[in-house]
Amino acid sequence: MNRSWQRVALAMFAVGWGANQFSPMLLAYRAELGISTQTRALLFALYAVGLIPALLVGGAASDRWGRRAVVVPFVAISPVATVLLIASAHWVPGLAIARLLAGVSSGVVFGAASAWVSDLSVDDPAGAGARRAALALSAGFGLGPLVTGLVAEVATYPLTVPYLPHVVLGVVAAVLLLPVPGPRPDDPAIRPLVSLPAVTRGRRFLLAVAPAAPWVFGCASISIAFLPSAVDAPTHGELAFAGVLTGVTLGTGVLVQPLARRLDDRRPLLAGRVGLLSAVAALLIGLGALEADSRWLLLVAGPVFGAAYGCGLVSGLREAERLAPPEERGAVVAAFYGLTYLGFFAPYLLGAVGGLGIGPDGALLVAVAVALGSLAVVSAAGRSDQSHRTEPASTELA
């Protein structure tokens, strides 16, 4: 049995750890450097600025030149970005550069490596590749900030020491990835690297996938980067709390994915609709937490945000694989991930909307309305397309 996919999944786990370890550190930078709320939100979002174009280019490049040639170098860049975070502990421009570099590394790896895991899972049940990739990413997203937040709470040097575990993990993952087979495609795609596959401009993708995708990481970002700063609670223990909240949110996202897969098997897009309903519920609980200034309510909202994140991720990945022809799977998956990472701008946008005079409470109510609108569009698209649903060959390769 081919187990090479496990090394690729470990690399995705390591890069996911590096991608999200920054989240609980936002409060450390506030305490140590006095960085403002919007500046911290911008540093958080800069990751997506580097990630989204890298996703689009990386996925198409892996379709053309092969997964291994594209993924291996950028897995190695991930710990380099973390070293830059350590070196720039008291220099905001350096932090911004490190976040951009982490985004570029993640963007190339997530789309191309997800397709690589699917390629290496060809002999396994349908959907195995998408599930394995989603679990690896989610586990890294959840465990990374949990460890970082707990270490930052007790470390003598809270802006540097919490990043060291990822440096070690990233180097180990890069070394273990080197022997994994990834031959160059026999018939590489010849379309421009920056173009989008025709599938991503089709009605099904635009109405059934695109409206829900930003809520995947939008929910995670609101839970871990917006709400903890908006709740007026004592600062004692806030770094550990931020790490635990992030771990709970994204850990739940991992745990619900087997259920999400069963929902998706029962009816395509059902998991995505459940995810959007969870997003609405989580936003309302978050609103209650703001009204009560309660960290405990944030811990109630966290798993619900996580359920929204996990259901949306599995549903979107599997729909992207169903829609994509085999030779464009990397590019289609990358396009889906690019849309999901628009959600990283959610804390900045909510802060900007709240700054218009309605406050964070009003901003969350706006988010509820947008989530309900997304749910309506996805539900309508799902109902209208049920009559012609088929399983293309790309799903059998998942």
Side-chain angles (χ1 to χ4, degrees):
M1 182 178 295
N2 184 4
R3 295 291 185 182
S4 296
W5 65 266
Q6 294 176 342
R7 297 190 179 215
V8 183
L10 175 63
M12 297 181 72
F13 170 79
V15 175
W17 179 305
N20 223 27
Q21 65 182 339
F22 191 77
S23 302
M25 297 297 290
L26 292 170
L27 297 177
Y29 290 118
R30 181 182 68 180
E32 298 290 326
L33 305 182
I35 298 178
S36 69
T37 298
Q38 283 300 83
T39 299
R40 284 182 280 122
L42 183 59
L43 285 173
F44 185 79
L46 279 174
Y47 169 80
V49 173
L51 181 142
I52 292 173
L55 268 173
L56 300 178
V57 174
S62 76
D63 288 334
R64 178 181 294 186
W65 295 310
R67 316 300 186 201
R68 187 177 188 279
V70 172
V71 172
V72 171
F74 285 90
V75 169
I77 287 174
S78 180
V80 173
T82 298
V83 170
L84 184 56
L85 284 174
I86 294 172
S88 305
H90 297 277
W91 187 44
V92 174
L95 296 175
I97 295 170
R99 288 292 288 164
L100 283 169
L101 185 61
V104 171
S105 169
S106 299
V108 172
V109 170
F110 291 169
S114 292
W116 195 1
V117 170
S118 290
D119 294 342
L120 295 172
S121 303
V122 64
D123 296 324
D124 297 306
R131 185 176 69 255
R132 289 164 175 172
L135 284 171
L137 282 180
S138 298
F141 289 154
L143 191 58
L146 174 61
V147 172
T148 302
L150 293 175
V151 173
E153 186 66 44
V154 300
T156 304
Y157 302 99
L159 300 185
T160 57
V161 174
Y163 291 125
L164 295 179
H166 177 252
V167 175
V168 175
L169 175 64
V171 171
V172 170
V175 171
L176 292 177
L177 189 63
L178 291 175
V180 179
R184 181 171 175 169
D186 294 330
D187 184 22
I190 59 174
R191 61 185 176 81
L193 294 180
V194 295
S195 69
L196 292 173
V199 164
T200 65
R201 301 189 295 273
R203 179 181 182 276
R204 179 72 181 180
F205 191 91
L206 292 176
L207 295 182
V209 177
W215 288 102
V216 172
F217 291 117
C219 286
S221 298
I222 292 169
S223 179
I224 67 183
F226 178 75
L227 289 173
S229 296
V231 169
D232 185 15
T235 59
H236 177 70
E238 65 178 357
L239 295 178
F241 173 80
V244 170
L245 177 62
T246 304
V248 167
T249 300
L250 299 180
T252 303
V254 174
L255 295 176
V256 303
Q257 287 177 24
L259 173 61
R261 182 174 182 271
R262 289 195 292 272
L263 290 173
D264 191 79
D265 288 339
R266 181 178 178 182
R267 184 183 305 167
L269 300 180
L270 178 58
R273 281 176 274 181
V274 170
L276 286 169
L277 282 171
S278 299
V280 172
L283 288 167
L284 292 174
I285 298 171
L287 182 62
L290 293 188
E291 293 289 341
D293 282 329
S294 171
R295 282 181 181 170
W296 296 110
L297 277 178
L298 290 186
L299 285 177
V300 174
V304 187
F305 277 119
Y309 152 71
C311 287
L313 183 61
V314 169
S315 178
L317 273 176
R318 297 196 74 191
E319 186 67 15
E321 287 193 344
R322 278 190 285 263
L323 293 172
E327 69 277 8
E328 292 186 332
R329 183 187 295 118
V332 175
V333 168
F336 166 71
Y337 272 124
L339 289 170
T340 65
Y341 272 95
L342 290 175
F344 263 66
F345 291 96
Y348 185 82
L349 293 175
L350 288 175
V353 171
L356 297 177
I358 61 176
D361 297 10
L364 284 184
L365 287 175
V366 172
V368 168
V370 176
L372 288 172
S374 300
L375 175 61
V377 172
V378 172
S379 297
R383 287 193 298 269
S384 65
D385 285 353
Q386 282 300 313
S387 60
H388 74 273
R389 291 298 300 167
T390 59
E391 290 288 326
S394 62
T395 302
E396 298 303 318
L397 297 176

